[in-house]
Amino acid sequence: MDKGTAVLLRKVPPLPPSQELGGSGVLVDVGCGWGPLALTLAAECPSAQVYAVDVNARALELTRANATANGLHNIQVLSEADAFAALGPNSVDVIWSNPPVRVGKMALHAMWEAWRTRLKPEGVAYLVMGRNLGSDPFLAYLNEHGWIGEKIASSKGFRVLQLRRSA
C-alpha cells in the first residue's frame, strides 16, 4: 500500500453509523487503484453501496478481483464515466480518495468539480495528498470553488483534507 493511502486510513474519522446514512449509504473511492480504500469502506460498512472508481482498466480489474477474494459483495467497480452515469447529483454520502494528482492541475480541478455536485449537501469527502504535490494550493483552490475544506491531519509529508459542499 502506498504511504498516502496508509495515512488516510489511519487519520480519517470513523464512518458515520448506517442510520445516519439513511440505513445504507453510498460511499465512493475516487481513483481506487487496486482498491484498498474501497475494500475498507465495504468491510466497515457492509450495508452501504460502495463504488470503486478509476479511469484505468487494469486498476478496475484488480479492484474487482480483490473484492471477490475478500468476499465483499457491496462494491461496484466502475469507470469514471459509468460512475457519473450511475450517480446523479446529491447521491453520495462519503468520498474517500487518494486522488491522481499527476494528471495535472486542470484535470484535477475538473474532477473535483464533477464529484462536488454528486455529494449530498450533508456529505463529506476525505482526500490525502502530498504536501510537496500541491495539497495546500489545491485546498485553497477548492475553498474558492464551491467547497468548504480544511486540513484535518498530516503525517509523513501527506495532508488529509476534509471537504464539504458550500451552501
Side-chain angles (χ1 to χ4, degrees), residues 25-101:
V26 174
L27 314 177
V28 179
D29 173 1
V30 174
C32 65
W34 59 267
L37 296 177
L39 298 174
T40 301
L41 288 165
E44 287 188 10
C45 205
S47 64
Q49 180 57 59
V50 176
Y51 292 86
V53 180
D54 209 298
V55 297
N56 182 294
R58 179 71 178 136
L60 298 175
E61 290 173 25
L62 289 170
T63 301
R64 274 188 205 95
N66 288 327
T68 299
N70 285 282
L72 298 168
H73 305 290
N74 59 331
I75 297 178
Q76 286 192 43
V77 182
L78 301 173
S79 69
E80 185 178 62
D82 289 342
F84 287 157
L87 298 167
N90 305 315
S91 62
V92 176
D93 294 289
V94 176
I95 297 172
W96 282 2
S97 182
N98 184 347
V101 296

